[in-house]
Amino acid sequence: MADSETLHSDSNSRGIAADLARAADALETMQASGELAPVVTVAPASPNVPPALFGAGGPMLKRFDESTVASRKGSTAPSPPPSVKGIGKKVAKPDYSEQKIVVAMVGLPARGKSYLSNKLMIYLRWLEYDVKVFNVGQLRRTKARQKAQKLGVKENHNAEFFSHSNAQATQSRDSLAEESLEMLIKWLKEGGNVGIHDATNSTKSRRAKIEARLAKEKGMILIFLESLCDDPAVIAANVELKVSQGDPDYKDMSPDEARKDFLRRINEYEKVYETITEPHLSYLRIKNVGEEVTMSRINGYLSSRIAFYLMNLHIRPRNIFFSRHGESQYNVEGKIGGDSLLSLRGMQYAKALPALITDNIGEKPLTVWTSTLKRTIQTAQYLPYTKLTWKSLDELDAGVCDGMTYEEIEQAYPDDYANRDEDKFNYRYRGGESYRDVVVRLEPVIMELERQENILIIGHQAILRCLYAYFHHLPQADLPYIKIPLHTVIKLTPKAYGCDEERYTLPINAVDTHRPKPKAAKQPNVHPTTQRIYYVEEEVKTSA
């Protein structure tokens, strides 16, 4: 029986090999006739196996990827007759109304809870989920201010206030945590998607209360997110960040006094802290921001998406460089889209770019990402680094308007030209994309950017606008109008809260392709900051 099965398997293998060999012959015939570009033959692993044309890294895989670029040549079709009405439509925001998730933070002070909650909020808002962080510390300070104003009683929130042996303060803190959770639940019921309960939630009894309360609400999913840290350097940096960046608890203390008091507060929490071991809970435990991740009972699309994003975060020092391709022939002609080559000035930029990047990065490793379009690959050609091409980084697809100037679009499609100016983020070209579509296809790029260290992206105007908006947490309405000029390198240095930014413009002239918001609307105003934002009283509504 075994011999029969072996013969049958050998026969199948020979049949598959013969089929692949015939396919390879057919492709060679197509290449000879000019239907396909010639490829480099890869030596077979054995005499019975045809060339690995379709294997990972095989030349045909690359050629088939490149073949999709051919379809992006500039449009040569004549303008449509006047009877054609409309070329695109406005894309509605996806219906996320059924998504109701509570992310309850767990962890000691200075362990990165607020960092993780802030990053998660930015990521999900970039994808257009309605997300809000409910920080119990901010609610506590708001309540204290109100009490001081109304009754003239000033509460002292020093380390003693956070001692478990202080029964009155413990009761007050529990009450604040419960009130914050009620605010979160109310907000979800009013239409929110993901509410983040930013508190220590450091005991099993506190977590049991949260679980019991959420069990009363239909359709709400509870996930605990625990942030552990045993790296003394990271803890010390977090303590310093708390002390130096305007925490209202320490506004009347010297830095040294604030540091000592905060360390005492941490010590009080450590006395009663219980890591998550409850086997029935849905939770994600992250150690040292990405060093080690444990997941338990994470189910569902959005829950899994949240977990995957958080798993890719890290806090290692790094730089992310953005540059558009050098000036292209289409840029000079005022055309959009296409797959044109660089202009002479664009080639000058490509040759000057390596010196600028190496001056900034030094001997550190760097990976260059480009789109699959010629102008980005040309721009990267002289850079002495590993290069990867991403189809996801290709420019926004202008559909039937590909290869046209804006003047031609306005003349051929006046209604749609006006509609795009009215709502550029949501407008989708017929046969093409909107900015909203681009954001969705860039999500894997964001995941990988968060995972990587030093990266240079040589991309396109719309693509870099979307990525830039993510790192600076800019609203979607402003996204299509962010200024990303040609022949300029933007250097972002991610920090705990926000990004530092530097711009380097090389002295090589290029056309200005930026189109500002129409009708003298207010232009996007980016103020990069790495400061943690502590919300003022007016921004925190209480149920008092």
Side-chain angles (χ1 to χ4, degrees):
M1 187 67 178
D3 289 342
S4 174
E5 288 177 351
T6 301
L7 289 172
H8 183 66
S9 175
D10 289 345
S11 176
N12 281 345
S13 298
R14 286 195 297 271
I16 292 170
D19 289 342
L20 288 173
R22 283 195 294 272
D25 290 341
L27 286 167
E28 288 176 4
T29 302
M30 293 170 69
Q31 293 158 15
S33 66
E35 293 179 63
L36 283 179
V39 300
V40 179
T41 303
V42 178
S46 73
N48 296 323
V49 180
L53 296 173
F54 298 97
M60 283 312 300
L61 187 65
K62 181 173 184 294
R63 290 294 178 188
F64 272 102
D65 186 56
E66 289 176 350
S67 72
T68 62
V69 176
S71 66
R72 298 179 63 91
K73 292 179 180 177
S75 173
T76 57
S79 298
S83 59
V84 175
K85 299 290 185 183
I87 61 170
K89 63 180 181 179
K90 291 182 181 178
V91 185
K93 177 182 175 180
D95 182 6
Y96 294 135
S97 59
E98 296 302 312
Q99 302 290 344
K100 305 290 180 185
I101 294 181
V102 176
V103 177
M105 305 302 297
V106 176
L108 293 166
R111 263 53 174 190
K113 297 187 306 301
S114 293
Y115 167 76
L116 291 175
S117 60
N118 188 61
K119 288 289 289 186
L120 181 59
M121 177 186 70
I122 290 172
Y123 164 69
L124 292 175
R125 282 186 178 176
W126 185 72
L127 293 172
E128 296 190 274
Y129 289 95
D130 198 359
V131 188
K132 189 172 181 179
V133 176
F134 293 80
N135 184 282
V136 175
Q138 291 177 5
L139 178 61
R140 167 176 55 79
R141 287 184 286 269
T142 297
K143 289 281 194 176
R145 281 195 300 269
Q146 292 173 345
K147 188 174 181 180
Q149 290 168 0
K150 292 178 181 179
L151 304 176
V153 178
K154 185 177 180 180
E155 292 185 349
N156 190 352
H157 294 167
N158 59 15
E160 175 62 25
F161 181 81
F162 299 92
S163 171
H164 197 67
S165 60
N166 186 336
Q168 184 177 354
T170 299
Q171 183 179 359
S172 175
R173 289 186 289 111
D174 286 346
S175 177
L176 286 165
E178 290 169 9
E179 182 173 347
S180 179
L181 183 61
E182 291 300 325
M183 292 165 60
L184 186 158
I185 291 169
K186 181 175 181 290
W187 177 80
L188 285 179
K189 288 180 175 179
E190 291 172 350
N193 300 130
V194 180
I196 302 174
H197 193 242
D198 188 5
T200 56
N201 296 322
S202 55
T203 63
K204 291 181 180 180
S205 61
R206 172 74 71 83
R207 294 192 289 270
K209 288 179 182 178
I210 296 174
E211 183 187 14
R213 177 63 186 89
L214 266 296
K216 297 177 182 178
E217 299 297 334
K218 184 178 179 181
M220 291 190 185
I221 298 170
L222 173 62
I223 301 172
F224 287 99
L225 172 55
E226 183 174 17
S227 182
L228 298 177
C229 182
D230 60 5
D231 185 333
V234 173
I235 295 171
N238 288 344
V239 169
E240 198 58 38
L241 199 65
K242 182 87 168 178
V243 169
S244 65
Q245 292 207 350
D247 189 318
D249 284 344
Y250 300 118
K251 64 185 180 68
D252 297 324
M253 289 188 188
S254 69
D256 190 53
E257 288 176 315
R259 192 177 297 106
K260 290 177 180 177
D261 185 81
F262 189 48
L263 290 172
R264 286 196 296 269
R265 182 193 300 190
I266 293 172
N267 183 58
E268 293 297 338
Y269 274 107
E270 286 176 331
K271 292 175 182 177
V272 296
Y273 186 78
E274 297 172 298
T275 189
I276 297 180
T277 56
E278 302 94 314
H280 64 287
L281 294 181
S282 295
Y283 68 87
L284 187 72
R285 181 188 294 121
I286 299 178
K287 183 177 179 181
N288 295 332
V289 191
E291 180 182 290
E292 182 181 303
V293 179
T294 304
M295 285 195 299
S296 177
R297 299 181 180 275
I298 300 294
N299 300 298
Y301 172 70
L302 184 54
S303 299
S304 300
R305 203 170 185 175
I306 289 170
F308 186 59
Y309 172 74
L310 293 168
M311 287 168 62
N312 283 283
L313 296 179
H314 69 82
I315 53 172
R316 295 183 295 276
R318 61 183 176 140
N319 295 121
I320 297 170
F321 298 89
F322 291 160
S323 172
R324 289 175 66 185
H325 52 78
E327 181 189 72
S328 73
Q329 294 170 7
Y330 264 27
N331 290 149
V332 174
E333 296 168 16
K335 296 178 180 179
I336 65 172
D339 193 18
S340 67
L341 298 173
L342 296 182
S343 69
L344 289 176
R345 293 186 300 197
M347 284 301 300
Q348 286 181 312
Y349 178 71
K351 292 175 181 177
L353 187 58
L356 175 60
I357 298 300
T358 52
D359 284 349
N360 272 279
I361 203 71
E363 299 298 319
K364 297 175 185 176
L366 175 76
T367 303
V368 179
W369 294 355
T370 72
S371 73
T372 65
L373 302 181
K374 296 171 186 173
R375 55 193 183 273
T376 64
I377 294 171
Q378 268 192 299
T379 305
Q381 64 184 309
Y382 300 109
L383 289 161
Y385 304 105
T386 300
K387 304 179 186 75
L388 299 174
T389 60
W390 283 70
K391 187 69 179 170
S392 295
L393 290 175
D394 284 3
E395 179 60 303
L396 185 151
D397 191 339
V400 296
C401 293
D402 195 56
M404 298 175 70
T405 66
Y406 283 111
E407 290 75 16
E408 290 170 342
I409 297 171
E410 184 177 19
Q411 183 176 2
Y413 309 109
D415 291 343
D416 291 276
Y417 182 87
N419 286 340
R420 189 166 195 261
D421 270 352
E422 286 293 331
D423 192 358
K424 195 172 179 181
F425 181 77
N426 294 307
Y427 175 85
R428 177 188 286 162
Y429 288 104
R430 186 176 67 185
E433 294 178 298
S434 67
Y435 269 90
R436 173 176 275 128
D437 297 322
V438 172
V439 165
V440 171
R441 74 164 152 99
L442 283 176
E443 185 187 8
V445 177
I446 288 296
M447 290 286 191
E448 192 63 17
L449 271 176
E450 289 290 6
R451 198 175 70 84
Q452 294 289 336
E453 296 189 17
N454 299 312
I455 297 291
L456 164 61
I457 298 180
I458 298 178
H460 307 270
Q461 184 168 239
I463 301 303
L464 296 183
R465 281 171 169 164
C466 294
L467 297 175
Y468 184 91
Y470 166 79
F471 281 102
H472 279 310
H473 193 200
L474 299 178
Q476 307 291 25
D478 286 348
L479 188 155
Y481 301 101
I482 298 168
K483 194 159 189 176
I484 310 284
L486 289 166
H487 298 178
T488 299
V489 173
I490 301 172
K491 177 184 177 182
L492 298 180
T493 305
K495 298 293 181 67
Y497 298 97
C499 284
D500 282 338
E501 178 182 322
E502 300 170 69
R503 292 196 177 205
Y504 306 92
T505 300
L506 290 176
I508 300 168
N509 290 334
V511 296
D512 184 0
T513 62
H514 180 74
R515 297 179 73 238
K517 274 189 175 182
K519 299 180 181 177
K522 185 179 179 182
Q523 301 303 308
N525 198 3
V526 182
H527 295 290
T529 178
T530 57
Q531 295 287 314
R532 178 177 174 181
I533 297 173
Y534 291 95
Y535 302 112
V536 297
E537 181 179 336
E538 289 75 18
E539 293 175 320
V540 182
K541 296 179 181 179
T542 73
S543 58

